[in-house]
Amino acid sequence: MSLDGLLVSLAALLVNLAFTRELCGFTREFGRFTRELCGFTREFGRFTRELWGFTREFGRFTRELCGFTREFGRFTRELCGFTREFGGFTREFGRFTRELCGFTREFGGFTRKFGIYS
């Protein structure tokens, strides 16, 4: 092998060594990045589980709220029915009172006409 061939081989070896060192450095940096990504993924997983728990609890709360709203709706409908019934009663009582007043006037006129209770 000639000296030129030897120098070319040596230069190629040095280039390979430099490339290998750079590749090792890249691999080391990529390993750090991967570990950080794994840490982030682990933390994100915890956050996701907590969010899932919150979502589950919020779902229970909204179902209970819907049940309360349904019961409150029934109560208000019953209250409206009672109010309508009470309104009907007061109207009828008003009619009865007016008729009683009319009867009292008529009876007062009758008693005055015949001198009773004058």
Side-chain angles (χ1 to χ4, degrees):
M1 183 181 272
S2 71
L3 186 57
D4 287 339
L6 187 60
L7 289 176
V8 169
S9 295
L10 184 60
L13 181 63
L14 289 175
V15 167
N16 280 337
L17 285 176
F19 174 74
T20 304
R21 273 195 302 276
E22 286 182 23
L23 187 59
C24 287
F26 171 77
T27 304
R28 212 174 10 260
E29 289 300 314
F30 190 71
R32 284 186 195 127
F33 170 74
T34 305
R35 282 189 296 281
E36 288 176 14
L37 186 60
C38 286
F40 170 77
T41 304
R42 201 171 18 260
E43 290 301 315
F44 190 73
R46 285 185 196 132
F47 169 75
T48 305
R49 283 188 295 279
E50 290 176 13
L51 185 61
W52 176 248
F54 170 76
T55 304
R56 198 170 36 248
E57 290 300 314
F58 190 72
R60 286 184 191 129
F61 169 74
T62 53
R63 282 190 298 278
E64 289 174 9
L65 186 61
C66 286
F68 170 77
T69 304
R70 206 171 14 259
E71 289 300 315
F72 189 73
R74 285 185 194 127
F75 169 74
T76 52
R77 281 191 298 280
E78 289 174 7
L79 186 60
C80 287
F82 172 76
T83 304
R84 273 192 301 277
E85 292 293 319
F86 188 73
F89 168 75
T90 54
R91 276 190 301 280
E92 292 300 317
F93 190 72
R95 286 184 194 127
F96 170 74
T97 306
R98 284 190 298 279
E99 289 176 10
L100 186 60
C101 287
F103 172 75
T104 305
R105 268 194 307 278
E106 293 292 322
F107 189 70
F110 174 76
T111 56
R112 280 191 296 282
K113 186 175 183 182
F114 293 104
I116 307 172
Y117 303 114
S118 315

